[in-house]
Amino acid sequence: MNKPYVRLDKDNVMVLLVDHQTGLLSLVRDIEPDKFQNNVLALADVAEYFKLPTILTTSFEDGPNGPIVPELTQKLPDAPYIARPGQINAWDNSDFVAAVKVTGKKQILIAGVVTEVCVAFPVLSAIAEGYEVFVVTDASGTFNAMTRDAAWTRMVAAGAQLITWFGVACELQRDWRNDVEGLGRLLSNHIPDYRNLITSYKRDRG
């Protein structure tokens, strides 16, 4: 059964960046490392550009998962940072859930490592509590395409929507005229081909 089009609303959405940790990143094989890093940082830039409440979380940093990728805390210094002592599902951590609820937002953009665990588990938990959840697929990573696709299928069956960081940026922007320079700069910083487009646009306008 087809579901109605639910748009991302910049006034009602938060971003959850789950377990982008140095140890876990070594497990990501379904996307090239440089592209994956670019996509994660692009999503962080989207969150910053649209002033979206953003929560960073890690699991068992003292173990093999390792510390959070430093670029995220540098880019989002004011974001709540929940270092979970061991809970695999971030939703099992009361501090994390409290940070989510205090935002007052009902839409969730989520990305993390690895897709079938660190992303899927809180996605399913959030949906069960009535949130609209959008999984940013290209800022999430895992072992291979088979495990990724299984996770996507499971989350979609529960009601999650799959989207990319570029789709997020454009759906939140709604209209180029809202800020052509700002959005163009954000996209250009993360998509080389788009930089060519914007360069051409600026040249043609003198």
Side-chain angles (χ1 to χ4, degrees):
M1 180 172 141
N2 291 332
K3 294 182 179 180
Y5 176 27
V6 177
R7 291 190 182 194
L8 286 167
D9 178 356
K10 64 182 176 63
D11 296 320
N12 194 34
V13 66
M14 73 187 86
V15 177
L16 306 181
L17 298 177
V18 183
D19 300 354
H20 291 96
Q21 296 168 249
T22 56
L24 293 176
L25 286 178
S26 67
L27 303 177
V28 175
R29 292 289 182 271
D30 61 326
I31 184 171
E32 296 91 336
D34 56 337
K35 291 182 179 179
F36 183 60
Q37 181 184 39
N38 175 70
N39 294 341
V40 173
L41 296 179
L43 179 59
D45 278 345
V46 169
E48 183 180 33
Y49 175 69
F50 288 102
K51 298 180 173 59
L52 308 179
T54 302
I55 299 169
L56 306 175
T57 186
T58 56
S59 177
F60 198 36
E61 287 189 9
D62 294 335
N65 294 348
I68 193 169
V69 175
E71 290 88 345
L72 287 179
T73 52
Q74 292 165 7
K75 189 174 289 292
L76 300 166
D78 298 325
Y81 176 29
I82 311 299
R84 309 189 315 278
Q87 296 95 342
I88 294 174
N89 182 350
W91 213 264
D92 289 339
N93 181 279
S94 59
D95 291 335
F96 178 78
V97 174
V100 170
K101 291 185 175 180
V102 80
T103 68
K105 311 301 183 183
K106 295 302 292 181
Q107 292 185 328
I108 291 175
L109 283 164
I110 185 170
V113 183
V114 294
T115 307
E116 67 268 32
V117 174
C118 307
V119 177
F121 293 174
V123 164
L124 298 173
S125 298
I127 290 172
E129 293 202 19
Y131 289 88
E132 294 175 346
V133 182
F134 300 75
V135 179
V136 187
T137 57
D138 54 355
S140 303
T142 188
F143 305 104
N144 54 54
M146 180 174 66
T147 55
R148 177 198 65 206
D149 292 351
W152 287 353
T153 299
R154 186 183 188 193
M155 290 186 283
V156 168
Q161 295 192 52
L162 305 184
I163 196 166
T164 64
W165 76 261
F166 182 81
V168 168
C170 293
E171 190 158 287
L172 290 172
Q173 183 76 0
R174 293 282 201 276
D175 191 318
W176 269 107
R177 293 166 296 181
N178 289 332
D179 181 11
V180 62
E181 293 293 335
L183 182 62
R185 187 181 312 111
L186 189 157
L187 300 180
S188 296
N189 286 342
H190 294 283
I191 306 175
D193 292 341
Y194 217 94
R195 186 179 302 117
N196 296 336
L197 183 152
I198 294 296
T199 300
S200 175
Y201 163 77
K202 290 181 175 179
R203 183 195 63 194
D204 292 343
R205 291 173 62 88

